[in-house]
Coordinates of all heavy atoms in Angstrom, one line a residue:
V139 N -24.6 -48.9 -4.5 CA -24.5 -47.6 -5.1 C -23.3 -46.8 -4.5 O -23.2 -46.8 -3.3 CB -25.8 -46.8 -4.8 CG1 -25.8 -45.4 -5.2 CG2 -27.0 -47.5 -5.4
H140 N -22.5 -46.2 -5.4 CA -21.4 -45.5 -5.0 C -21.7 -44.0 -4.8 O -22.2 -43.4 -5.8 CB -20.2 -45.7 -6.0 CG -19.0 -44.9 -5.7 ND1 -18.5 -44.8 -4.4 CD2 -18.1 -44.2 -6.4 CE1 -17.4 -44.1 -4.4 NE2 -17.1 -43.7 -5.6
V141 N -21.5 -43.4 -3.7 CA -21.8 -42.0 -3.4 C -20.5 -41.2 -3.5 O -19.6 -41.5 -2.8 CB -22.5 -41.8 -2.0 CG1 -22.7 -40.4 -1.8 CG2 -23.7 -42.6 -1.9
R142 N -20.5 -40.2 -4.3 CA -19.4 -39.3 -4.5 C -19.4 -38.2 -3.4 O -20.4 -37.7 -3.1 CB -19.3 -38.7 -5.9 CG -19.1 -39.6 -7.0 CD -18.9 -38.9 -8.2 NE -18.6 -39.8 -9.3 CZ -18.4 -39.5 -10.5 NH1 -18.4 -38.2 -10.9 NH2 -18.1 -40.4 -11.4
E143 N -18.2 -37.9 -3.0 CA -18.1 -36.8 -2.1 C -18.2 -35.5 -2.8 O -17.8 -35.4 -4.0 CB -16.7 -36.8 -1.4 CG -16.4 -38.0 -0.5 CD -17.2 -37.8 0.8 OE1 -17.3 -36.7 1.3 OE2 -17.6 -38.8 1.3
A144 N -18.8 -34.5 -2.2 CA -18.9 -33.2 -2.8 C -17.5 -32.6 -3.0 O -16.7 -32.8 -2.1 CB -19.8 -32.3 -2.0
P145 N -17.3 -31.8 -4.1 CA -16.0 -31.2 -4.2 C -15.8 -30.2 -3.1 O -16.7 -29.6 -2.6 CB -16.1 -30.6 -5.6 CG -17.5 -30.5 -5.9 CD -18.2 -31.5 -5.2
T146 N -14.5 -30.0 -2.8 CA -14.2 -29.0 -1.7 C -13.6 -27.8 -2.4 O -13.0 -27.8 -3.4 CB -13.2 -29.6 -0.7 OG1 -12.0 -30.0 -1.4 CG2 -13.8 -30.8 0.0
V147 N -13.8 -26.7 -1.7 CA -13.2 -25.4 -2.1 C -11.9 -25.2 -1.5 O -11.8 -25.4 -0.2 CB -14.1 -24.2 -1.8 CG1 -13.5 -22.9 -2.1 CG2 -15.5 -24.4 -2.4
P148 N -10.8 -24.9 -2.2 CA -9.5 -24.8 -1.6 C -9.6 -23.6 -0.6 O -10.2 -22.6 -0.8 CB -8.6 -24.4 -2.8 CG -9.3 -24.8 -4.0 CD -10.8 -24.8 -3.7
R149 N -8.9 -23.8 0.5 CA -8.9 -22.8 1.6 C -7.7 -22.0 1.6 O -7.5 -21.1 2.5 CB -9.1 -23.5 2.9 CG -10.4 -24.3 3.0 CD -11.3 -23.6 3.9 NE -12.5 -24.4 4.0 CZ -13.7 -23.9 4.1 NH1 -13.9 -22.6 4.0 NH2 -14.8 -24.7 4.2
G150 N -6.7 -22.2 0.7 CA -5.5 -21.4 0.7 C -5.7 -20.0 0.4 O -6.8 -19.6 -0.2
A151 N -4.8 -19.1 0.7 CA -4.9 -17.7 0.5 C -4.8 -17.5 -1.0 O -4.0 -18.1 -1.7 CB -3.8 -17.0 1.2
R152 N -5.6 -16.5 -1.5 CA -5.5 -16.1 -2.9 C -4.3 -15.2 -3.1 O -3.9 -14.5 -2.2 CB -6.8 -15.4 -3.3 CG -8.0 -16.2 -3.3 CD -9.2 -15.4 -3.8 NE -10.3 -16.2 -3.9 CZ -11.5 -15.7 -4.1 NH1 -11.7 -14.4 -4.2 NH2 -12.6 -16.5 -4.1
R153 N -3.7 -15.3 -4.3 CA -2.6 -14.4 -4.6 C -3.1 -13.0 -4.8 O -4.1 -12.8 -5.5 CB -1.9 -14.9 -5.8 CG -0.7 -14.1 -6.2 CD 0.0 -14.6 -7.4 NE 1.2 -13.9 -7.8 CZ 1.2 -12.7 -8.3 NH1 0.0 -12.1 -8.7 NH2 2.3 -12.1 -8.6
H154 N -2.5 -12.1 -4.2 CA -2.9 -10.7 -4.4 C -2.0 -9.9 -5.3 O -0.8 -10.4 -5.5 CB -3.0 -10.0 -3.0 CG -1.7 -9.9 -2.3 ND1 -1.2 -11.0 -1.6 CD2 -0.9 -8.9 -2.2 CE1 0.0 -10.6 -1.1 NE2 0.2 -9.4 -1.4
V155 N -2.4 -8.8 -5.7 CA -1.5 -8.0 -6.6 C -0.6 -7.2 -5.7 O -1.0 -6.4 -4.8 CB -2.4 -7.0 -7.4 CG1 -1.5 -6.1 -8.2 CG2 -3.3 -7.8 -8.3
T156 N 0.7 -7.4 -5.9 CA 1.7 -6.7 -5.1 C 2.0 -5.3 -5.7 O 1.6 -5.0 -6.8 CB 3.0 -7.5 -5.1 OG1 3.6 -7.5 -6.4 CG2 2.8 -8.9 -4.6
P157 N 2.6 -4.4 -4.9 CA 3.0 -3.1 -5.5 C 3.8 -3.3 -6.8 O 3.7 -2.5 -7.7 CB 3.7 -2.4 -4.4 CG 3.1 -3.0 -3.1 CD 2.9 -4.4 -3.5
D158 N 4.7 -4.2 -6.8 CA 5.5 -4.5 -8.0 C 4.7 -4.9 -9.2 O 4.9 -4.5 -10.3 CB 6.6 -5.5 -7.7 CG 7.7 -5.0 -6.8 OD1 7.9 -3.8 -6.7 OD2 8.4 -5.9 -6.2
D159 N 3.7 -5.8 -8.9 CA 2.7 -6.2 -10.0 C 2.0 -4.9 -10.5 O 1.8 -4.8 -11.7 CB 1.7 -7.2 -9.4 CG 2.3 -8.5 -9.0 OD1 3.3 -8.9 -9.6 OD2 1.6 -9.2 -8.2
Y160 N 1.5 -4.1 -9.6 CA 0.8 -2.9 -10.0 C 1.7 -2.0 -10.8 O 1.2 -1.5 -11.9 CB 0.3 -2.1 -8.7 CG -0.2 -0.8 -9.0 CD1 -1.5 -0.6 -9.5 CD2 0.5 0.3 -8.8 CE1 -2.0 0.6 -9.8 CE2 0.1 1.6 -9.1 CZ -1.2 1.8 -9.6 OH -1.7 3.0 -9.9
D161 N 2.9 -1.8 -10.4 CA 3.8 -0.9 -11.2 C 4.1 -1.5 -12.6 O 4.1 -0.7 -13.5 CB 5.2 -0.8 -10.4 CG 5.0 0.1 -9.2 OD1 4.1 0.9 -9.1 OD2 5.9 0.0 -8.3
A162 N 4.2 -2.8 -12.7 CA 4.5 -3.4 -14.0 C 3.2 -3.2 -14.9 O 3.4 -2.9 -16.1 CB 4.8 -4.9 -13.8
L163 N 2.1 -3.4 -14.3 CA 0.8 -3.2 -15.1 C 0.7 -1.8 -15.6 O 0.4 -1.5 -16.7 CB -0.4 -3.7 -14.3 CG -0.6 -5.1 -14.1 CD1 -1.6 -5.4 -13.0 CD2 -1.0 -5.8 -15.4
N164 N 1.0 -0.9 -14.6 CA 0.9 0.5 -15.0 C 1.9 1.0 -16.0 O 1.5 1.7 -16.9 CB 1.1 1.4 -13.7 CG 0.4 2.7 -13.7 OD1 -0.5 2.9 -14.6 ND2 0.7 3.5 -12.8
R165 N 3.1 0.4 -16.0 CA 4.1 0.7 -17.0 C 3.7 0.1 -18.4 O 4.1 0.7 -19.4 CB 5.5 0.2 -16.6 CG 6.2 1.0 -15.6 CD 7.6 0.6 -15.4 NE 7.8 -0.8 -15.2 CZ 7.8 -1.3 -13.9 NH1 7.6 -0.6 -12.9 NH2 8.0 -2.6 -13.8
A166 N 2.9 -0.9 -18.4 CA 2.5 -1.6 -19.6 C 1.5 -0.7 -20.4 O 1.3 -0.8 -21.6 CB 1.9 -2.9 -19.4
I167 N 0.9 0.2 -19.7 CA -0.1 1.2 -20.3 C 0.8 2.4 -20.7 O 1.0 3.3 -19.8 CB -1.2 1.6 -19.4 CG1 -1.9 0.3 -18.9 CG2 -2.2 2.5 -20.1 CD1 -2.9 0.6 -17.7
D168 N 1.3 2.4 -21.9 CA 2.3 3.4 -22.2 C 1.8 4.6 -23.0 O 2.5 5.6 -23.1 CB 3.5 2.8 -22.9 CG 3.1 2.1 -24.2 OD1 1.9 2.1 -24.5 OD2 4.0 1.6 -24.9
G169 N 0.6 4.6 -23.5 CA 0.2 5.7 -24.4 C -0.6 6.8 -23.6 O -0.8 6.7 -22.4
R170 N -1.0 7.8 -24.4 CA -1.7 8.9 -23.8 C -3.1 9.0 -24.4 O -3.8 10.0 -24.2 CB -1.0 10.2 -23.9 CG 0.3 10.2 -23.1 CD 0.8 11.6 -23.0 NE 2.0 11.7 -22.2 CZ 2.0 11.8 -20.9 NH1 0.9 11.8 -20.2 NH2 3.2 11.9 -20.2
G171 N -3.5 8.0 -25.2 CA -4.8 8.1 -25.9 C -5.9 7.8 -24.9 O -5.6 7.4 -23.7
W172 N -7.1 7.9 -25.3 CA -8.3 7.8 -24.4 C -8.4 6.3 -23.9 O -8.7 6.1 -22.7 CB -9.6 8.3 -25.0 CG -10.2 7.4 -26.0 CD1 -10.0 7.4 -27.3 CD2 -11.1 6.3 -25.8 NE1 -10.7 6.4 -28.0 CE2 -11.4 5.7 -27.0 CE3 -11.7 5.8 -24.7 CZ2 -12.3 4.7 -27.2 CZ3 -12.6 4.7 -24.8 CH2 -12.8 4.2 -26.1
L173 N -8.0 5.3 -24.7 CA -8.0 4.0 -24.2 C -7.0 3.7 -23.1 O -7.3 3.0 -22.2 CB -7.8 3.0 -25.4 CG -9.0 2.8 -26.4 CD1 -8.6 2.0 -27.6 CD2 -10.2 2.3 -25.7
D174 N -5.8 4.3 -23.3 CA -4.8 4.2 -22.3 C -5.2 4.8 -21.0 O -5.0 4.3 -19.9 CB -3.5 4.8 -22.7 CG -3.0 4.0 -24.0 OD1 -2.8 2.8 -23.9 OD2 -2.7 4.7 -25.0
R175 N -5.8 6.0 -21.1 CA -6.4 6.7 -19.8 C -7.5 5.9 -19.2 O -7.5 5.7 -18.0 CB -6.8 8.1 -20.2 CG -5.7 9.0 -20.5 CD -6.1 10.5 -20.5 NE -7.1 10.7 -21.6 CZ -6.8 11.4 -22.7 NH1 -5.6 11.8 -22.9 NH2 -7.7 11.6 -23.6
R176 N -8.3 5.3 -20.0 CA -9.4 4.4 -19.5 C -8.8 3.2 -18.8 O -9.2 2.9 -17.6 CB -10.3 3.9 -20.6 CG -11.4 3.0 -20.1 CD -11.8 2.0 -21.2 NE -10.7 1.2 -21.6 CZ -10.8 0.3 -22.6 NH1 -12.0 0.2 -23.3 NH2 -9.8 -0.4 -23.0
D177 N -7.8 2.5 -19.4 CA -7.2 1.4 -18.8 C -6.5 1.7 -17.5 O -6.5 1.0 -16.5 CB -6.2 0.7 -19.8 CG -6.9 0.1 -21.0 OD1 -8.1 0.0 -20.9 OD2 -6.2 -0.2 -21.9
R178 N -5.8 2.9 -17.5 CA -5.1 3.3 -16.2 C -6.2 3.6 -15.1 O -6.0 3.2 -14.0 CB -4.3 4.6 -16.5 CG -3.3 4.8 -15.5 CD -2.3 5.9 -15.9 NE -1.4 5.4 -16.9 CZ -1.3 5.8 -18.2 NH1 -2.2 6.7 -18.6 NH2 -0.5 5.3 -19.1
L179 N -7.3 4.2 -15.5 CA -8.4 4.4 -14.5 C -8.9 3.1 -14.0 O -9.1 2.9 -12.8 CB -9.5 5.2 -15.1 CG -10.7 5.5 -14.2 CD1 -10.3 6.3 -13.0 CD2 -11.8 6.3 -15.0
I180 N -9.2 2.1 -14.8 CA -9.6 0.8 -14.4 C -8.6 0.2 -13.5 O -9.0 -0.3 -12.4 CB -9.9 -0.1 -15.6 CG1 -11.1 0.4 -16.4 CG2 -10.0 -1.6 -15.2 CD1 -11.3 -0.3 -17.8
L181 N -7.4 0.2 -13.8 CA -6.3 -0.4 -12.9 C -6.3 0.3 -11.6 O -6.3 -0.4 -10.5 CB -5.0 -0.3 -13.6 CG -3.8 -0.7 -12.8 CD1 -3.9 -2.2 -12.6 CD2 -2.5 -0.4 -13.6
N182 N -6.4 1.6 -11.6 CA -6.4 2.3 -10.3 C -7.6 2.1 -9.4 O -7.5 1.9 -8.2 CB -6.2 3.8 -10.5 CG -4.8 4.2 -10.9 OD1 -3.8 3.6 -10.5 ND2 -4.7 5.2 -11.8
I183 N -8.8 2.0 -10.1 CA -10.0 1.8 -9.3 C -9.9 0.4 -8.7 O -10.2 0.2 -7.5 CB -11.2 1.9 -10.2 CG1 -11.5 3.4 -10.5 CG2 -12.5 1.3 -9.5 CD1 -12.6 3.6 -11.5
L184 N -9.5 -0.6 -9.5 CA -9.5 -2.0 -8.9 C -8.4 -2.1 -7.8 O -8.7 -2.7 -6.8 CB -9.1 -3.0 -10.0 CG -10.2 -3.3 -11.0 CD1 -9.7 -4.1 -12.2 CD2 -11.4 -3.9 -10.4
Y185 N -7.3 -1.5 -8.0 CA -6.2 -1.6 -7.0 C -6.5 -0.9 -5.7 O -6.2 -1.4 -4.7 CB -4.9 -1.1 -7.6 CG -3.7 -1.4 -6.8 CD1 -3.1 -2.7 -6.6 CD2 -3.0 -0.4 -6.1 CE1 -2.0 -2.9 -5.8 CE2 -1.9 -0.6 -5.3 CZ -1.4 -1.9 -5.2 OH -0.3 -2.1 -4.4
Y186 N -6.9 0.3 -5.8 CA -7.1 1.2 -4.6 C -8.4 1.0 -3.9 O -8.6 1.4 -2.8 CB -6.8 2.6 -5.0 CG -5.4 2.9 -5.2 CD1 -4.9 3.2 -6.5 CD2 -4.4 2.8 -4.2 CE1 -3.6 3.4 -6.8 CE2 -3.1 3.1 -4.4 CZ -2.7 3.3 -5.7 OH -1.3 3.6 -6.0
S187 N -9.5 0.5 -4.6 CA -10.8 0.5 -4.0 C -11.2 -0.9 -3.5 O -12.0 -1.1 -2.6 CB -11.9 0.9 -5.0 OG -12.0 -0.1 -6.0
G188 N -10.6 -2.0 -4.1 CA -11.0 -3.3 -3.7 C -12.2 -3.8 -4.4 O -12.8 -4.8 -4.0
L189 N -12.8 -3.1 -5.4 CA -14.0 -3.5 -6.1 C -13.7 -4.8 -6.8 O -12.6 -5.1 -7.2 CB -14.4 -2.5 -7.1 CG -15.5 -1.5 -6.8 CD1 -15.1 -0.6 -5.6 CD2 -15.8 -0.6 -8.0
R190 N -14.8 -5.6 -6.9 CA -14.7 -6.8 -7.7 C -14.9 -6.4 -9.2 O -15.4 -5.3 -9.5 CB -15.8 -7.7 -7.3 CG -15.7 -8.3 -5.9 CD -17.0 -9.0 -5.5 NE -16.9 -9.5 -4.2 CZ -17.3 -8.8 -3.1 NH1 -17.8 -7.6 -3.3 NH2 -17.2 -9.3 -1.9
V191 N -14.4 -7.2 -10.1 CA -14.4 -6.9 -11.5 C -15.9 -6.7 -12.0 O -16.2 -5.7 -12.7 CB -13.8 -8.0 -12.4 CG1 -14.0 -7.7 -13.9 CG2 -12.3 -8.0 -12.1
G192 N -16.8 -7.5 -11.5 CA -18.2 -7.3 -11.9 C -18.8 -6.0 -11.4 O -19.6 -5.4 -12.0
E193 N -18.4 -5.6 -10.2 CA -18.8 -4.3 -9.6 C -18.3 -3.2 -10.5 O -19.0 -2.2 -10.8 CB -18.4 -4.2 -8.2 CG -19.0 -5.1 -7.2 CD -18.4 -5.1 -5.9 OE1 -17.2 -4.7 -5.7 OE2 -19.1 -5.6 -4.9
L194 N -17.0 -3.3 -10.9 CA -16.5 -2.2 -11.7 C -17.2 -2.2 -13.1 O -17.5 -1.1 -13.6 CB -15.0 -2.5 -12.0 CG -14.3 -1.5 -13.0 CD1 -13.9 -0.3 -12.2 CD2 -13.2 -2.2 -13.7
C195 N -17.5 -3.3 -13.7 CA -18.2 -3.3 -15.0 C -19.6 -2.8 -14.9 O -20.1 -2.2 -15.9 CB -18.2 -4.8 -15.5 SG -16.6 -5.4 -16.0
A196 N -20.2 -2.8 -13.7 CA -21.6 -2.3 -13.6 C -21.6 -0.8 -13.2 O -22.7 -0.3 -13.2 CB -22.3 -3.2 -12.5
L197 N -20.5 -0.2 -13.0 CA -20.5 1.2 -12.7 C -21.1 2.1 -13.8 O -20.9 1.8 -15.0 CB -19.1 1.7 -12.3 CG -18.5 1.2 -11.1 CD1 -17.1 1.8 -10.9 CD2 -19.3 1.6 -9.8
Q198 N -21.8 3.1 -13.4 CA -22.2 4.2 -14.3 C -21.4 5.4 -14.0 O -20.9 5.6 -12.9 CB -23.7 4.4 -14.1 CG -24.6 3.2 -14.3 CD -24.6 2.8 -15.8 OE1 -24.7 3.6 -16.6 NE2 -24.5 1.5 -16.0
V199 N -21.4 6.3 -15.0 CA -20.6 7.6 -14.8 C -21.1 8.3 -13.5 O -20.3 8.8 -12.8 CB -20.7 8.5 -16.0 CG1 -20.1 9.9 -15.8 CG2 -20.1 7.8 -17.2
D200 N -22.4 8.3 -13.3 CA -23.0 9.0 -12.1 C -22.6 8.4 -10.8 O -22.8 9.0 -9.7 CB -24.5 9.1 -12.2 CG -25.0 10.0 -13.4 OD1 -24.2 10.8 -13.8 OD2 -26.1 9.8 -13.8
D201 N -22.1 7.2 -10.8 CA -21.6 6.5 -9.6 C -20.3 7.0 -9.1 O -19.9 6.7 -7.9 CB -21.5 5.0 -9.8 CG -22.9 4.3 -10.1 OD1 -23.9 4.9 -9.7 OD2 -22.9 3.3 -10.8
I202 N -19.6 7.8 -9.9 CA -18.3 8.3 -9.5 C -18.4 9.7 -9.2 O -18.8 10.6 -10.0 CB -17.2 8.0 -10.6 CG1 -17.1 6.5 -10.9 CG2 -15.9 8.6 -10.2 CD1 -16.3 6.2 -12.1
D203 N -18.0 10.1 -7.9 CA -18.1 11.5 -7.5 C -16.6 12.0 -7.3 O -16.0 11.6 -6.4 CB -18.8 11.6 -6.1 CG -19.0 13.0 -5.7 OD1 -18.3 13.9 -6.2 OD2 -19.9 13.2 -4.8
T204 N -16.2 12.8 -8.3 CA -14.8 13.2 -8.3 C -14.6 14.3 -7.2 O -13.4 14.5 -6.7 CB -14.4 13.8 -9.6 OG1 -15.3 14.8 -10.0 CG2 -14.4 12.7 -10.7
A205 N -15.6 15.0 -6.7 CA -15.5 16.0 -5.7 C -15.1 15.4 -4.3 O -14.3 15.9 -3.6 CB -16.7 16.8 -5.6
T206 N -15.8 14.2 -4.0 CA -15.6 13.6 -2.7 C -14.7 12.3 -2.9 O -14.4 11.7 -1.9 CB -16.9 13.2 -2.1 OG1 -17.6 12.2 -3.0 CG2 -17.8 14.4 -1.9
H207 N -14.3 12.0 -4.1 CA -13.4 10.8 -4.3 C -14.1 9.6 -3.8 O -13.4 8.7 -3.2 CB -12.0 11.0 -3.7 CG -11.3 12.2 -4.2 ND1 -10.4 12.1 -5.3 CD2 -11.3 13.5 -3.9 CE1 -9.9 13.3 -5.5 NE2 -10.4 14.1 -4.7
T208 N -15.4 9.4 -4.1 CA -16.1 8.2 -3.7 C -16.8 7.6 -4.9 O -17.1 8.3 -5.9 CB -17.2 8.5 -2.7 OG1 -18.1 9.4 -3.2 CG2 -16.6 9.0 -1.4
I209 N -16.9 6.3 -4.8 CA -17.6 5.5 -5.9 C -18.8 4.8 -5.2 O -18.6 4.2 -4.1 CB -16.7 4.5 -6.5 CG1 -15.6 5.2 -7.2 CG2 -17.5 3.6 -7.5 CD1 -14.5 4.2 -7.7
T210 N -20.0 4.9 -5.7 CA -21.1 4.3 -5.2 C -21.3 2.9 -6.0 O -21.5 3.0 -7.2 CB -22.4 5.1 -5.3 OG1 -22.2 6.3 -4.6 CG2 -23.6 4.4 -4.7
V211 N -21.2 1.8 -5.3 CA -21.4 0.5 -5.8 C -22.8 0.1 -5.6 O -23.2 -0.1 -4.5 CB -20.4 -0.5 -5.2 CG1 -20.6 -1.9 -5.8 CG2 -19.0 0.0 -5.4
R212 N -23.6 0.0 -6.7 CA -25.0 -0.3 -6.6 C -25.3 -1.8 -6.8 O -26.3 -2.3 -6.4 CB -25.8 0.5 -7.6 CG -25.6 2.0 -7.3 CD -26.5 2.8 -8.3 NE -26.1 4.2 -8.3 CZ -26.3 5.0 -7.3 NH1 -26.9 4.7 -6.2 NH2 -25.9 6.3 -7.4
S213 N -24.3 -2.5 -7.4 CA -24.6 -3.9 -7.7 C -23.6 -4.9 -7.0 O -23.2 -5.8 -7.5 CB -24.5 -4.2 -9.2 OG -23.2 -3.9 -9.6
G214 N -23.3 -4.5 -5.7 CA -22.4 -5.3 -5.0 C -23.0 -6.6 -4.4 O -24.2 -6.8 -4.5
K215 N -22.1 -7.3 -3.7 CA -22.5 -8.5 -3.0 C -23.5 -8.1 -1.9 O -23.3 -7.2 -1.2 CB -21.3 -9.2 -2.4 CG -21.5 -10.6 -2.0 CD -20.1 -11.1 -1.6 CE -20.2 -12.6 -1.3 NZ -18.9 -13.1 -0.9
G216 N -24.6 -8.8 -1.9 CA -25.6 -8.5 -0.9 C -26.7 -7.6 -1.4 O -27.7 -7.4 -0.7
G217 N -26.6 -7.0 -2.6 CA -27.6 -6.2 -3.2 C -27.8 -4.8 -2.6 O -28.7 -4.2 -3.0
E218 N -27.0 -4.4 -1.7 CA -27.2 -3.1 -1.1 C -26.1 -2.2 -1.6 O -24.9 -2.6 -1.8 CB -27.1 -3.1 0.4 CG -28.3 -3.8 1.0 CD -28.4 -3.6 2.5 OE1 -27.9 -2.6 3.0 OE2 -29.0 -4.5 3.1
A219 N -26.4 -0.9 -1.9 CA -25.4 0.1 -2.4 C -24.5 0.4 -1.2 O -24.8 0.4 0.0 CB -26.2 1.3 -2.8
R220 N -23.2 0.7 -1.6 CA -22.2 1.1 -0.6 C -21.3 2.1 -1.3 O -21.1 2.1 -2.5 CB -21.5 -0.1 -0.1 CG -20.5 -0.7 -1.0 CD -19.8 -1.9 -0.3 NE -18.6 -2.3 -1.1 CZ -18.6 -3.1 -2.2 NH1 -19.7 -3.5 -2.7 NH2 -17.5 -3.4 -2.7
G221 N -20.7 2.9 -0.5 CA -19.7 3.8 -1.0 C -18.3 3.4 -0.7 O -18.0 2.8 0.4
V222 N -17.4 3.5 -1.6 CA -16.0 3.2 -1.4 C -15.1 4.4 -1.8 O -15.5 5.2 -2.6 CB -15.6 1.9 -2.2 CG1 -16.3 0.7 -1.7 CG2 -15.8 2.1 -3.7

């Protein structure tokens, strides 16, 4: 019987978004319509907060506090709410 080795997870560093990448993405959002404002907000939240895409998608309007500039992540890793 031939036993296969379990696949390994690559240990190399993941590529991150550089400031130049961020600027290029931001410039690609060129309109002033509500979809462009939404896309710019999504880009800014992901870039500046470090949220995972799934966490961003699970946000509710009430999770964003514009007075204190905090976001409450209720569906994050580990199942506990946290503020960012």
Side-chain angles (χ1 to χ4, degrees):
V139 174
H140 179 41
V141 177
R142 291 185 177 183
E143 293 286 324
T146 60
V147 176
R149 300 253 181 219
R152 292 183 179 169
R153 185 181 179 281
H154 62 281
V155 176
T156 66
D158 289 337
D159 294 333
Y160 169 80
D161 290 339
L163 287 167
N164 208 12
R165 281 192 308 273
I167 306 168
D168 60 355
R170 294 198 179 274
W172 75 269
L173 287 173
D174 298 307
R175 289 193 295 254
R176 179 208 58 187
D177 292 347
R178 199 170 286 112
L179 178 61
I180 289 170
L181 177 64
N182 285 326
I183 288 173
L184 289 172
Y185 186 73
Y186 289 108
S187 71
L189 261 63
R190 296 173 182 88
V191 173
E193 293 170 338
L194 176 85
C195 291
L197 289 178
Q198 301 292 316
V199 172
D200 292 339
D201 294 335
I202 301 173
D203 186 343
T204 57
T206 61
H207 300 267
T208 59
I209 298 172
T210 302
V211 179
R212 300 183 195 286
S213 63
K215 195 172 184 179
E218 292 191 25
R220 72 179 195 282
V222 294

